[in-house]
């Protein structure tokens, strides 16, 4: 697991934190701290969970604090992907008081948002743990934060779908309609795409699934099919293509979907509707 | 209401859409559409609500489509802030098929995210409609999207708290502790701040409230007080300061809080934990 | 004073210096030093005042030198806000000779420009020191340098007006005209603005002032009124609103204006027409 | 003259205006206009001079208005470089009322700043009109605005010195000291520089001037020499190099310096210490 | 072919042209044209080939001209991917003379560079036309221009390898060495990667090939094998994996490599060592 | 030589490397290394030449590695401008294994590209070493990399022509045609340009050369003249202007051109058609 989590590109982290700090500090900076906190005061802070969940985004929190005080220390008590319960210590930070107070909200906003996604993902992952199905995300992410949110999905035990329109082909109903059929759409895709691009095609019926398999689709997205139909699809595909179930799947229905034997279950909710994870940061300033 | 909603700065809209499109299109662009859709094909699409809610962010959706096809038309059926029920038409777009397919996800991601915030805000606002209390947001926003999310709060009938650390002073417990007391913290803040900066101070007790009022605080944040204590605070303040209740207030408890007579109730959940609003976009491509 | 001065956000400093260095170094860099100065030569430089004034912007100068030689030392002899006379030592810098020569002009351009503003501000501040009036700035700043110039105003003993169109409401004559009156304009502003936004209204007559006070304006800008009228305004307001005098006030007239009893006097000249402060930098290169 | 003025690169204009608008509009935009001005209200405005001077920067003002309302019209009554007296009409603008009110300050800040530089430059140029000397600028410009300020110098009738450290070689005292002499410094510069790079050398004495001429310097900067010495230098150079006088030259002394026969007189004051030109913008909003 | 070529994302084109124009125009813009060409002069220009080749990048050329004169017309005589001989007309452009002269070099630099890549690619493609092998590129591209160069490869009839380190997995010798073997490396890759990520593994020997096939590699890169060994590899793979030959393949050797039966042949030379295509632009200015 | 090479501005290096790394790492980063290489594994790598040539760009390679692992060491075995033969060690790098593997391609792409230019330049320079002619570049560079490529030209022993349209005047045929003649074009240029701007004029005939010399041109570009005509031109100019030969000069013809006595010979090929220099990087990972 550790290797997977390490794949958050450091340049992305720096850029995201920089933008968030500028957004919060604005033109005049943290005027409350400037007015009240002595410039050389020191502070220590502890981050702890207040509700159960999975942590993601510690690198962003640490980067936020150190960006405003390069000599600040940020010690993680655990790693991204760890489960926490109320009270679990997450990290400790120590440094210039003004810097810590100024970076606090940015650090927590990142940590809470990404941990929220990891936490919800983990609930889906746990719900299908008795099957071989994996939970995967979609492109339904918060604008500007996709790579970070996809990382949070991995922290929650999920797998990543494509990162954008450019790194894999996903043929949808409109593409099929324009092409005149699933087979022709796959043919066009194969003619266009390089040999390191996977091709997935969305189908609504088992007839389309058979057409897709005959045309050599590598991955087939089974859209809005009930578990029984999915099970039929699994039998039809017989391992010739990876099967992904999609469409309105909830925490209540995901187990039944997984038991159909599909390989992947994609969910938009794990990125676009995950509530934040409640984390507390207690700061002690020594004036 | 119209005026309020118009205050979404166009430069911010353009910048946010540009970043989101680049994130989704990556280096190679929408390879599926490039492979399959004829370059001159046209398409029409209709956006409609699938669940009840409040719309916010139409300008972002329109900008996304027109950024990829400047001659595309985007016709709003309603305006930001409107309530919708399942099936309510939201907008129609017409233009180059590749452009529409490529921009679809970005448009919906913005629209769903901001409408989700407007929808949740509206639920809080409706819950306190029988009182004079207003719902207000916090700085607990998604990194990089604060101004857009604050706009969505207004679309849902909420009011905006400060936009960053720089446009108002909010004295918190740490600031008070370092200063040696509420009154001294307010004094320092007043000495530092310009005459167009409001000063708010967070208090935990009614004694602190009295100290804050005596020191001339313009706004007092009453942290984690039960409704009965809040009502006492309202009586003590007697209109000498604006009172804001804060801390773990939910849809279940917000009415009781509002009935205490406070002026504002702030909620982090309306921005950091609002599920997306489910919106559908049906595209018809004419090859 | 120290706290106020510390509020120059470090991210802004870095960004401003980066832009200025790129502007000066262009595509080919400092070709004179590259041609003539050995790459490992060291240099020491001393910055000193040549005319009397107030220093502002030392952080920018230091950042410029260290950006080109991270191991350079920059020692301040005094702090921003300090008064200097011809010959007063300001700072000493030591490092790679090419780096120091390349950064010299950028460092001095920032320091001279901001110290010029601090110096002129201080002259206004001194002129009204016998009154309770404070000197405040406007939005008439050099494009792209507003936050830095507002910081320089504080270094000169001035107070800051709003930083942009977004952090406070200032109702001007056109807004009043469109609204149909001062009271209606204030009503609209109050309905729109959050509770942490101050509302100021500009008035031309004492009748308008009375209307503004009745409508609950928190700050009133008295535009182009002679001292006698200002004194009347002070009597009318009787502490119910903060009063700001504005309009063509010069170093010659500012004392009389202040003696009217107004709380703030705003001046565009302190930012848009301050001559640079003459500072010398003597470099000794050891080849 | 027209051709010279047209050389303000449009990309620079757009970039400078974009940055300035973002600086002023911040996160929430022009909240006063959003609160009070109906979204479809129209406005017309006239820009006129209030004090005598020379206009520079009309393209920036026009770009500011049109950036916020692409359909706005901006009609120049005169061109950059024109002299104005109090009351001279400069331009008329018509468009959406909110857009015009929001862009007003940015437009005027650019126009006033650059016109101030053009105006002061013109005073120096007029003072030496009876000689063949030309007034030229320096690198003592406002950080981030160099190209715009150099353009303003041309609008005032001045000539441009180098734009940065990279487009010409200027050998100063430190370079000479490290090299062991003027001739060796010139030799190194010539060996390094391409054939389209001019080489100027700063000299303090006539002996150094003779050394520079012997070494083939194309331009010689005569630093801090009184007019009589400058006249001697002119005689010594006898047309073999371009001569530039520099160092503490004021409006009072510039004529005497020019009468020495030097070719160029450089002044930092025309860019770093020019007061803004007072321009008025009268807006009429039609609600 | 048309569909493939249309996949050059317009946002990338705009960004690349913007950067290139800024690089060439610098701070002062095109001073030669500003000095000499009347501001309203018009010009017409024709772009034609001077040597045989394949055209790529017309959108960049057109964007460059229109960026400086939005009303300029740019008419393509042919489309990207077309073969040209000396004298073949490529495009005609008409517009403001200064704008055309200022954009000329940027337009030609893009067009020549990308056409050079398309031309060299086409030579490789033609050399293997009698086989089923396809020519593909690598990540050995000019820094900052990868997506444009990959597009040029497609214009020349080539196919694209991965666009970066993030859109496909390519296991190289070091990865194999660390893992302890090809099979383990593939296992780790599969565990980490999402289901839309292809996995390619580089092998040096036929034994490694067998191991890779057994481990389920989808694509195998055969590094530096002579044609006879490649033919053996083809027989061994028997269609179970896509085979890519790589390593020092030249125009002289590529046909023999292709005749081995491999599916893809990758070449770094087509992007990193393609000479520019010589194109002439004849401008006629009408003063 | 060392001084010349040191003139690669560090800010440009950082910016170019940052852009290239982001281009290669994309949204998800180096997924192969993340999947396979343990996060704490170390690696050492040696860069060596595989073909003869001249090295340029070591700073870029070093910056790439250290950007991903700030504690990595990068030791140069030689300096930019050094000649290498197959096997010559160039540099050694040591650091985190993932970081080194992720930065490898960017480092080599820069180093190979710039060394390729230096190598080709050196071949031209060597070919004219028996004359006093210097080889110089043009503006025919890869978009976005001009300053780096001009630096590589210097590393190869070449001299730099202007860096953009803004740092020198080059009057071409169209400028002459519009002006009505060489002399008038020069007159306009001189009237416009500052005294630190060199003026070069392109001529097609000896008659135009005489006109240019009479008008005081400082540099004359002799376009497409055979060596005999060039020799005549040299005689005519007689040292009164710098002479530059240009137009289709190849490695085969450059010596004859140089022997005509011209001062500079410009070549577009050295930047736009230089094949990459083949460099190998051998990494050893210690897991």
């Amino acid at each position: 697991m550790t290797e997977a989590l390490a794949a958050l590109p450091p340049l992305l982290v720096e850029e995201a934190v920089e933008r968030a700090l500028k957004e919060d500090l604005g033109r005049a900076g943290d005027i409350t701290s400037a007015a009240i906190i002595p410039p050389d005061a020191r502070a220590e802070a502890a981050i702890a969970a207040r509700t159960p969940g999975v942590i993601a985004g510690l690198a962003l929190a640490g980067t936020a604090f150190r960006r405003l005080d390069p000599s600040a220390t940020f010690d993680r008590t655990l790693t991204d992907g760890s489960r926490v319960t109320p009270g679990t210590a997450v990290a400790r930070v120590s440094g210039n008081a003004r810097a810590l107070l100024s970076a606090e909200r940015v650090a927590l906003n990142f940590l809470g948002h990404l941990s929220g996604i990891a936490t919800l993902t983990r609930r889906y992952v746990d719900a299908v743990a008795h099957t071989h199905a994996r939970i995967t995300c979609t492109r339904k992410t918060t604008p500007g934060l996709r790579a970070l949110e996809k990382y949070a999905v991995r922290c929650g035990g999920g797998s990543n779908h494509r990162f954008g329109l450019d790194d894999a082909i996903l043929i949808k109903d409109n593409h099929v309609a324009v092409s005149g059929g699933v087979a022709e759409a796959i043919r066009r895709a194969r003619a266009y795409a390089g040999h390191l691009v996977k091709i997935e095609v969305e189908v609504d019926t088992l007839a389309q699934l058979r057409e897709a398999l005959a045309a050599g689709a590598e991955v087939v997205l089974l859209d809005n099919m009930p578990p029984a139909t999915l099970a039929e699809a699994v039998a039809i595909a017989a391992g010739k293509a990876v099967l992904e179930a999609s469409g309105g799947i909830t925490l209540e229905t995901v187990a039944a979907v997984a038991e159909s034997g599909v390989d992947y279950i994609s969910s938009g909710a794990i990125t676009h509707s995950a509530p934040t994870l409640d984390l507390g940061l207690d700061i002690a300033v020594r004036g």
Side-chain angles (χ1 to χ4, degrees), chain A:
Chain A
M1 174 75 65
T2 318
E3 289 82 359
L5 303 186
L8 186 58
L11 277 59
L12 279 185
V13 168
E14 291 176 27
E15 190 174 280
V17 169
E18 187 86 10
R19 184 182 309 134
L21 285 172
K22 284 183 178 167
E23 180 185 61
D24 203 19
L25 291 167
R27 287 163 303 219
D30 180 357
I31 54 176
T32 308
S33 297
I36 295 175
I37 309 290
D40 297 326
R42 308 285 302 170
E44 294 191 348
I47 304 179
R50 288 183 177 158
T51 48
V54 175
I55 293 298
L58 282 166
L60 291 134
T63 300
F65 290 115
R66 284 193 306 260
R67 182 68 183 88
L68 295 190
D69 176 8
S71 68
T73 60
F74 182 80
D75 299 312
R76 311 176 181 201
T77 315
L78 40 74
T79 61
D80 277 357
S82 302
R83 295 180 192 247
V84 293
T85 52
T88 303
V90 171
R92 294 194 63 81
V93 56
S94 171
N96 176 275
R98 283 185 181 179
L100 264 52
L101 288 166
S102 296
E104 170 188 356
R105 178 53 32 220
V106 165
L108 286 181
N109 282 351
F110 273 119
L111 201 54
H113 182 67
L114 297 183
S115 299
I117 289 173
T119 299
L120 185 55
T121 300
R122 173 54 64 188
R123 294 183 65 192
Y124 276 79
V125 169
D126 289 349
V128 302
H130 61 297
T131 73
H132 91 285
R134 296 207 62 186
I135 300 300
T136 188
C137 51
T138 65
R139 284 170 43 248
K140 297 179 180 175
T141 55
T142 314
L145 298 180
R146 183 168 290 164
L148 300 180
E149 295 185 349
K150 296 233 165 205
Y151 167 79
V153 166
R154 291 203 301 278
C155 293
S159 179
N160 286 157
H161 212 289
R162 60 179 181 164
F163 274 64
L165 289 162
D166 63 325
D167 58 346
I169 282 189
L170 174 42
I171 301 170
K172 298 197 173 178
D173 51 359
N174 273 294
H175 301 105
V176 169
V178 166
S179 312
V182 163
E184 169 63 11
I186 292 174
R187 193 199 59 73
R188 290 189 194 178
R190 198 167 302 284
Y192 180 85
H195 61 303
L196 290 192
V197 174
K198 278 233 172 135
I199 297 174
E200 176 171 17
V201 62
E202 176 183 316
V203 301
D204 295 317
T205 65
L206 297 179
Q208 279 186 319
L209 167 63
R210 288 192 183 89
E211 189 181 350
L213 292 170
E218 299 170 295
V219 186
V220 180
L221 186 152
L222 306 164
D223 192 36
N224 269 317
M225 294 184 181
T229 313
L230 291 172
E232 266 190 87
V234 170
I236 291 168
K240 280 179 288 186
V242 171
L243 296 186
E244 172 186 342
S246 182
I249 296 158
T250 64
L251 263 176
E252 285 68 39
T253 62
V254 71
V257 169
E259 288 158 7
S260 71
V262 296
D263 304 297
Y264 287 87
I265 300 172
S266 55
S267 162
I270 57 175
T271 49
H272 67 50
S273 294
T276 194
L277 183 71
D278 193 9
L279 295 155
L281 184 144
D282 290 312
I283 297 195
V285 178
R286 285 168 291 126

